[in-house]
């Protein structure tokens, strides 16, 4: 379907609901404002947050596009006022506050990254959200160091597959949890050292066993309340728990004594709502520290499959049922 002049196609959510709530619709063109560029989208990728948005539980932050999509890749179609360092036609990928499931999206220039060397522009869409989330939480906040142990919950998720690769690249030991042997095998291929099936094993016990009783120095947690107590138990002395998800609920009970005795720290962040200035700083750090690893081929996006963007509903069904490993891409028409 071709859009009329001044209009484009995007996935809209007329009413919150199941995957069928995602509708490929004609909408007004995105416009690059001050400090922004307009990107013609080649691909976007599904994040768990998109599912929450579709269900009506996660509204876009003020000023963000109403359409889902927290990352994209594509080509710069227009440069807005006050932007330098980028040119029309540049192949880029971008961290977004929304709007990636569309033919075009306006992006603050500080949230752009060049498509890494040797990587197809489509696959670059799988990188910005996971790389920025993992880098900002595991490295900028929790300061994972070489030789330390990182426990990643949901090791085969988009986030998990990137966390394994980044932690291994800096010389850390990596423990992962996942729900099937096949997913754990894939984590091992990416470099994970300690494989824990969360349906059959107790991760606290397994992490202790594998670290001579010490525990994990850093934990990247997607579960929130359900794992709070056990995460603290699994932490080493001076350990850091970085919470990025609430898949196991929002209210938990914390044993302060254990936290004190371990001199441990807990952080919790959401990337989407952070101001453009903070995202710009994270993207700059990613470009400096992570992009050389991607350019050199040491880190690669893990792409489960590619679907047409107009069939975003099918992609959401797969991610909701955890039928994927890594990322599900949505490719434009
Ligand atoms: N705060 C932020 O800025 C931010 C940014 C991006 C993502 N996130 C969060 O990060 C998490 C991963 O995101 P994603 O898009 O990569 O999601 P995803 O690919 O859909 O993965 C979800 C993961 O949760 C795992 N899981 C389910 N139940 C579990 C349990 N009881 N124990 C351990 N793992 C369990 C699944 O494992 P199995 O498939 O093996 O069952 C799967 O790997 C989500 O919670 C998301 O909201 C946060």
């Amino acid at each position: 379907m071709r859009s009329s002049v001044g209009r484009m196609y995007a996935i809209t959510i007329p009413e919150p609901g199941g995957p069928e709530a995602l509708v490929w619709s004609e909408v007004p063109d995105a416009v690059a404002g001050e400090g922004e560029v307009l990107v013609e989208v080649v691909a976007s990728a599904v994040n768990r947050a998109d599912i929450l948005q579709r269900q009506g539980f996660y509204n876009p932050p003020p000023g963000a596009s109403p359409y889902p999509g927290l990352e994209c890749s594509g080509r710069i179609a227009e440069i807005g006022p006050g932007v330098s360092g980028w040119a029309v036609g540049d192949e880029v990928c971008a961290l977004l506050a929304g709007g990636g499931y569309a033919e075009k999206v306006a992006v603050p220039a500080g949230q752009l990254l060049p498509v890494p060397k040797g990587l197809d522009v489509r696959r670059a869409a799988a990188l910005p959200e996971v790389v920025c989330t993992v880098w900002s939480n595991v490295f900028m906040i929790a300061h994972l160091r070489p030789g330390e142990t990182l426990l990643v919950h949901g090791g085969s998720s988009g986030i998990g597959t990137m966390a394994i690769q980044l932690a291994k690249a800096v010389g850390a030991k990596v423990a992962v949890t996942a729900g099937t042997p096949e997913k754990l095998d894939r984590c091992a291929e990416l470099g994970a050292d300690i494989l824990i099936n969360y349906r059959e094993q107790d991760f606290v016990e397994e992490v202790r066993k594998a670290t001579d009783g010490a525990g994990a120095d850093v934990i990247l947690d997607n579960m929130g309340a359900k794992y709070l107590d056990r995460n603290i138990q699994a932490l080493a002395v001076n350990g850091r728990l970085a919470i990025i998800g609430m898949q196991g609920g929002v209210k938990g009970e914390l044993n302060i004594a254990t936290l004190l005795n371990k001199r441990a720290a807990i952080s919790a962040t959401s990337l989407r709502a952070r101001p453009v200035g903070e995202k710009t700083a994270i993207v700059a750090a990613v470009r400096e520290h992570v992009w050389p690893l991607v350019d050199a081929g040491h880190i690669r996006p893990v792409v489960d499959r590619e679907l047409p963007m107009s069939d975003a509903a099918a992609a959401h069904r797969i991610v909701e049922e955890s039928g994927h490993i890594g990322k599900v891409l949505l490719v434009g028409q």
Side-chain angles (χ1 to χ4, degrees), residues 119-130:
L119 194 66
D120 185 280
V121 63
R122 289 188 338 277
R123 295 173 77 86
L127 289 171
E129 176 73 11
V130 292

Side-chain angles (χ1 to χ4, degrees), residues 151 153 175 177 194 196-198 201-211 213-216 219 226-235 262:
L151 167 61
H153 288 302
T177 59
I194 305 159
I196 305 163
N197 186 326
Y198 70 75
Q201 293 169 290
D202 174 11
F203 71 81
V204 179
E205 207 175 291
E206 296 304 319
V207 168
R208 282 193 187 142
K209 252 196 289 184
T211 55
I219 300 177
K226 185 174 174 187
Y227 278 3
L228 182 60
D229 184 54
R230 285 199 287 154
N231 276 334
I232 303 295
Q233 289 178 43
L235 270 186
K262 290 193 172 179

Side-chain angles (χ1 to χ4, degrees), residues 224-229 248-255:
K226 185 174 174 187
Y227 278 3
L228 182 60
D229 184 54
V250 295
K251 283 190 183 171
E253 204 171 278
L254 184 63
N255 185 329

